[in-house]
Amino acid sequence: MDETTAPTAEASLSWPHPLPSCWVIGDGRPGLENQSLGLAEAMGLKPVLKRVVLRKPWRIASPYVTAFKRFAFSSSGASLEAPWPDIAIATGRPGALPLIYLREASKGHTFTVQIQDPVVRRGGFDRIVVPWHDGVTGDNIVTMDGSLHIMTSQRLAAEAPRWEDAFAAIPRPRVAVLIGGVNSRYDLRPEDMRTLGSQLAAVAGQGFGLLVSGSRRTGETNMAALAEALVGTGAYIYDGQHGANPYLGMLAHADAFVVTCDSINMITEAASTGKPVHIARLPFRRGREGGRNKFGEFVQRLEGSGRVRMFDGRIENWSYEPLREMDRVAQVLRRAFLARVGDGNLR
């Protein structure tokens, strides 16, 4: 059984006494768990992380198959038993079935928050938190710009000293270059990396230091093409595969960003810092969903709010209100929970 009390930041919201109990449902994937834990932190809660293991067929078909769900949970994972929490949070489809179960088993006591659209059984949750560009509507839907994440100014300030020595040779001002990769809407090819690399080399020639990070989606061939284009620039380059991941350090030490247009998560996190964010274009492909491009719509929305600008080979300087949707969503959920239970009805 895997059940731990997760560390939390200083509570950002006040609660009536006693503090509501909270479970975060996870399956060991940091990308999903961190969104849930970050939201619980922002709500001022002290979550217990419960890593649940689903049996077949529920593991494959969650949340499409919910029949006999009390048998869906393996004893190798955390147990879901009374006393039930006041609030339960999960991200993605793996956590959807456990939330549906908790809401029913607790007879509605547990206020369930699903992050990301489960696509089916939307009425089985108290609140669903989704990006506005998903186009999901309903009485229990909370929309946001971008994605939820765990980046805070306090967390980045704590991370910065760890990377002082590694980045010591990189001159200021520093530009963090965050590279994604192929997805449902964009291609990424070596020729694209060579083009971007030549633009970044020119930026380095203007006196900027480069902190460059690939990701798992970037691919070795693309990273090699980019690295070749940056020879002689003195850039710090992380290939996304080897060594400690400097991503948090780059967010902390950067004075500006260049982020490829395919990653809503990286754009959201960069825009939460309040530092200039430049969006590097990638080749668009139509894909199975026709011509709609939710990634492009997201970038256009941020561009309209003055938070990002398209990268044309120049690093610009401007200020804007940082994108901190986590705090706003946390306030919305806190109010919804208290409106349902009342200030004096917590166990």
Side-chain angles (χ1 to χ4, degrees):
M1 181 169 69
D2 193 339
E3 180 175 328
T4 60
T5 300
T8 62
E10 182 179 353
S12 58
L13 295 175
S14 60
W15 288 93
H17 184 77
L19 187 70
S21 58
C22 175
W23 290 356
V24 160
I25 307 300
D27 68 351
R29 281 182 274 188
L32 298 180
E33 290 181 356
N34 284 344
Q35 292 186 57
S36 301
L37 291 169
L39 180 57
E41 279 189 10
M43 292 177 70
L45 301 171
K46 296 181 178 179
V48 172
L49 173 61
K50 287 182 171 276
R51 290 196 170 120
V52 174
V53 176
L54 295 178
R55 296 189 176 101
K56 291 182 179 179
W58 298 277
R59 182 169 70 248
I60 299 170
S62 173
Y64 293 91
V65 174
T66 59
F68 305 104
K69 52 186 164 289
R70 67 182 182 277
F71 302 112
F73 310 110
S74 170
S75 60
S76 63
S79 61
L80 302 180
E81 299 174 347
W84 308 112
D86 297 309
I87 299 171
I89 305 171
T91 300
R93 292 185 186 180
L97 179 60
L99 287 188
I100 292 172
Y101 171 77
L102 283 173
R103 192 170 184 238
E104 293 183 5
S106 70
K107 296 181 170 52
H109 171 82
T110 300
F111 184 85
T112 56
V113 179
Q114 167 72 19
I115 302 171
Q116 297 182 1
D117 183 13
V119 181
V120 297
R121 306 185 188 279
R122 290 176 179 142
F125 309 89
D126 289 290
R127 291 295 185 274
I128 300 173
V129 181
V130 296
W132 69 268
H133 54 253
D134 278 0
V136 180
T137 59
D139 292 340
N140 66 337
I141 302 298
V142 179
T143 59
M144 60 181 173
D145 280 322
S147 58
L148 299 181
H149 56 83
I150 62 171
M151 304 304 168
T152 63
S153 56
Q154 295 88 348
R155 182 169 274 113
L156 294 182
E159 183 72 12
R162 179 185 173 194
W163 295 95
E164 288 283 359
D165 290 343
F167 298 160
I170 307 301
R172 289 191 178 275
R174 293 168 175 163
V175 179
V177 183
L178 310 178
I179 310 295
V182 176
N183 64 14
S184 63
R185 280 292 172 265
Y186 295 103
D187 281 320
L188 182 60
R189 306 160 301 185
E191 55 263 39
D192 304 316
M193 289 294 89
R194 283 190 283 270
T195 298
L196 178 60
S198 65
Q199 291 177 314
L200 294 172
V203 166
Q206 297 165 12
F208 291 91
L210 301 178
L211 303 171
V212 182
S213 176
S215 67
R216 292 178 182 177
R217 290 188 294 114
T218 306
E220 292 182 9
T221 302
N222 287 320
M223 281 304 299
L226 181 61
E228 183 180 0
L230 294 178
V231 169
T233 64
Y236 178 101
I237 301 177
Y238 174 67
D239 63 6
Q241 304 293 329
H242 305 95
N245 191 332
Y247 183 73
L248 289 178
M250 289 183 176
L251 289 178
H253 282 271
D255 299 295
F257 296 90
V258 173
V259 188
T260 55
C261 61
D262 60 288
S263 178
I264 290 174
N265 288 342
M266 291 194 302
I267 294 171
T268 300
E269 289 163 353
S272 74
T273 66
K275 301 169 186 177
V277 180
H278 306 74
I279 306 300
R281 298 174 178 86
L282 295 179
F284 174 71
R285 60 182 185 178
R286 188 169 297 276
R288 291 179 297 177
E289 301 175 22
R292 182 167 184 248
N293 180 5
K294 67 179 183 180
F295 300 90
E297 292 172 8
F298 169 65
V299 169
Q300 288 175 2
R301 186 175 174 94
L302 291 194
E303 190 176 17
S305 69
R307 290 187 169 98
V308 307
R309 296 179 185 178
M310 303 309 294
F311 181 55
D312 61 1
R314 297 176 301 157
I315 298 301
E316 302 181 69
N317 187 32
W318 74 95
S319 59
Y320 58 88
E321 183 68 26
L323 182 62
R324 291 176 180 157
E325 288 287 77
M326 184 74 85
D327 294 338
R328 184 186 64 80
V329 170
Q331 292 277 8
V332 169
L333 294 174
R334 176 185 180 278
R335 288 195 296 267
F337 172 76
L338 290 177
R340 195 189 73 174
V341 303
D343 286 4
N345 294 329
L346 299 178
R347 290 195 303 203

